[in-house]
Amino acid sequence: MSERGAAEGGLRERKKRATRAALAEAAIRLAAEHGVDKVTVEAISAAAGVSERTFFNYFDTRDDAFVVIDSEATDRVRAALLAAPAELSPLEALRDALAAELAGAEQDHELWGLHAGVLRSAPHLLVRSLGAHMADETALAEAVAARLGTPVAVPDGAGPPGEEERRAALELYPRLLAALAHTAVRVGVEHWCSRREGDSFAEVFQQVFTLLAAGLPAPTR
Amino acid sequence: MSERGAAEGGLRERKKRATRAALAEAAIRLAAEHGVDKVTVEAISAAAGVSERTFFNYFDTRDDAFVVIDSEATDRVRAALLAAPAELSPLEALRDALAAELAGAEQDHELWGLHAGVLRSAPHLLVRSLGAHMADETALAEAVAARLGTPVAVPDGAGPPGEEERRAALELYPRLLAALAHTAVRVGVEHWCSRREGDSFAEVFQQVFTLLAAGLPAPTR
DNA sequence: CCTGATTTTGCAGAGCCTGCACTTTTGCAT
DNA sequence: ATGCAAAAGTGCAGGCTCTGCAAAATCAGG
């Protein structure tokens, strides 16, 4: 498993992290070997050396064990977005922040591969995974807004009249950009997976953002 | 419930549709009244006048009953996309096809409102709902590709060398556009819901596509 | 070592979901 | 109308998921 930040905290927190990691890893390995829906919570717990009840102290749902890899990734993307050079457009800054994170993710190669295989074999888990990422979307939108110096949400009934429309557009933009981030990643991954060989993932990713920045023109044959 | 196409088919299919609709409607009404997780399959089935077992003949999962509204919507969008005037760009054609469908959806006002409320109160159902729509994404991508006269997927090892890159880009485009369709709808709905009054949904929707067509420029304050 | 806080565990029980065999309903041809 | 085959609905047994609760084990600090 990833060792990022594994040495911090007292014995208690280290043990907790270890238990969670053990459960998640056991879940993925068992799923990769026997198929997702043949893996019971009982089996996962046994493989991780804890009781079945403890599993549910760490994951709300059996499926959650197959989904969450790195809960800090979204924080890093946000930080990268805020730290990006000011001369980059919001779209460019977002592109670079995502590219950096995705490049880093390719380090944890073995588990990432197993994960990809498991998610590909179980669409409903893929959906769940996307949903988990989506939960961070509001936070990402706020980061975009902060970069623009624009509030993503404002209290009711404030501001002079006539400003409504402009404010609405300003709030829409960060939301849209944050949503596009996940869409871009998803489409990039799907397209990249659907082709046995060819472009590297980074290249596909660039293509996606090129199309977005160009306003989605009809491609020429 | 929606009566669209309710008169088609024989008695058998009409009854099936009615049963499914009754289950879905019962689920939503019960959820709106008592809260999603206080509604059991038993209660839904009883309200719809069928056995608990029958519920699972129609829905794979309890949650599915809260999610699917109209399984034919995607077919209509695809048809509209293919029937759109040739002079429209793919993005414009997609915009209009979606707008037409969404305008139609606003007819079924009462259930649509209950639905929105239920999904807003249960994020995991919202995720599921998005996932359901995502499942149609490949079909939509194929429609986009058909409009362009471009295959979205090609058999392995065909075609002259050097054509790889261009073909990759051609395959990427429909996928991206299809994915953007759902993103646009989602962001539009979210943004629209987050503001008590103001723009109509149609206006918000237009704004989203204007931003996309312009290549996501940084908004000016 | 003792105490309080946190974590783990076992257990009971409700609810979700599936496979299977069986009954009822529907479509259709005679 | 009647009979037959296919489709839909039903009942039941049983396994798995998930929750609340209280007891036991583990960690942190005086």
Side-chain angles (χ1 to χ4, degrees):
Chain A
M1 197 79 196
S2 169
E3 303 296 332
R4 254 188 289 218
E8 292 169 34
L11 176 65
R12 217 153 201 158
E13 292 186 32
R14 258 182 294 134
K15 265 201 161 183
K16 261 183 91 165
R17 261 200 296 260
T19 302
R20 168 178 280 269
L23 283 168
E25 181 165 345
I28 286 296
R29 292 197 184 284
L30 287 172
E33 185 175 2
H34 302 114
V36 185
D37 48 2
K38 309 281 284 186
V39 179
T40 67
V41 173
E42 185 182 1
I44 298 170
S45 308
V50 296
S51 78
E52 192 177 331
R53 188 64 185 78
T54 295
F55 176 94
F56 288 106
N57 287 339
Y58 283 91
F59 299 98
D60 285 342
T61 291
R62 165 183 167 280
D63 291 351
D64 285 347
F66 302 110
V67 167
V68 183
I69 288 193
D70 190 347
S71 60
E72 296 156 18
T74 153
D75 297 327
R76 286 194 293 271
V77 171
R78 270 193 297 167
L81 191 64
L82 291 174
E87 63 266 26
L88 291 182
S89 77
L91 188 64
E92 290 167 335
L94 185 61
R95 176 196 62 193
D96 295 349
L98 287 175
E101 182 59 32
L102 289 172
E106 281 185 299
Q107 307 298 40
D108 275 338
H109 215 309
E110 192 210 351
L111 270 190
W112 211 73
L114 289 181
H115 239 97
V118 169
L119 292 189
R120 203 172 312 133
S121 77
H124 77 105
L125 286 184
L126 183 59
V127 166
R128 230 186 156 75
S129 176
L130 294 174
H133 287 242
M134 237 186 55
D136 312 318
E137 201 170 286
T138 298
L140 189 58
E142 280 163 11
V144 173
R147 193 183 156 80
L148 291 170
T150 303
V152 67
V154 290
D156 264 27
E163 199 183 1
E164 282 300 315
E165 304 75 20
R166 212 179 60 201
R167 223 167 56 184
L170 286 176
E171 289 174 33
L172 176 61
Y173 185 83
R175 262 179 209 277
L176 181 57
L177 216 58
L180 285 178
H182 295 140
T183 302
V185 171
R186 180 166 62 84
V187 171
V189 170
E190 281 170 3
H191 180 257
W192 182 65
C193 287
S194 77
R195 304 184 60 76
R196 308 204 181 295
E197 51 191 308
D199 300 339
S200 73
F201 178 71
E203 284 171 313
V204 172
F205 197 66
Q206 290 297 323
Q207 277 185 306
V208 169
F209 273 85
T210 300
L211 283 172
L212 284 177
L216 289 311
T220 58
R221 263 194 295 174
Chain B
M1 197 77 198
S2 168
E3 303 297 330
R4 250 188 292 219
E8 293 170 33
L11 176 62
R12 212 156 200 152
E13 294 185 33
R14 258 182 293 133
K15 267 203 161 184
K16 256 183 95 165
R17 261 199 296 258
T19 303
R20 168 178 281 269
L23 283 168
E25 180 165 346
I28 286 297
R29 291 197 185 282
L30 288 171
E33 185 175 0
H34 301 115
V36 185
D37 47 4
K38 308 281 285 186
V39 179
T40 68
V41 173
E42 186 183 1
I44 298 171
S45 309
V50 296
S51 76
E52 192 177 330
R53 189 65 186 80
T54 294
F55 177 95
F56 288 105
N57 287 339
Y58 283 91
F59 300 98
D60 285 342
T61 291
R62 165 184 166 279
D63 290 352
D64 285 347
F66 302 109
V67 167
V68 184
I69 288 192
D70 189 346
S71 61
E72 296 156 17
T74 153
D75 296 327
R76 286 194 294 270
V77 170
R78 271 193 295 168
L81 191 64
L82 292 173
E87 62 266 25
L88 291 181
S89 76
L91 188 63
E92 290 167 335
L94 186 62
R95 176 197 62 193
D96 294 349
L98 287 174
E101 180 59 32
L102 289 172
E106 279 185 299
Q107 308 298 40
D108 277 338
H109 215 308
E110 192 210 349
L111 269 190
W112 212 72
L114 288 181
H115 238 97
V118 169
L119 292 189
R120 203 172 312 132
S121 77
H124 78 105
L125 286 184
L126 182 60
V127 166
R128 232 184 154 76
S129 174
L130 295 174
H133 287 243
M134 240 186 53
D136 312 319
E137 204 170 283
T138 298
L140 188 57
E142 278 162 13
V144 173
R147 195 183 154 81
L148 289 169
T150 304
V152 68
V154 290
D156 265 27
E163 198 183 1
E164 282 300 315
E165 304 75 19
R166 210 181 60 201
R167 222 168 54 186
L170 285 177
E171 289 174 34
L172 176 59
Y173 184 82
R175 261 180 210 277
L176 181 56
L177 216 57
L180 284 178
H182 295 139
T183 302
V185 171
R186 180 166 63 84
V187 171
V189 170
E190 282 172 3
H191 181 257
W192 183 64
C193 286
S194 77
R195 305 184 60 76
R196 308 204 180 296
E197 49 191 310
D199 300 338
S200 73
F201 179 71
E203 285 172 314
V204 172
F205 197 66
Q206 289 298 323
Q207 278 186 307
V208 170
F209 272 85
T210 301
L211 283 172
L212 284 177
L216 289 312
T220 57
R221 261 196 299 175

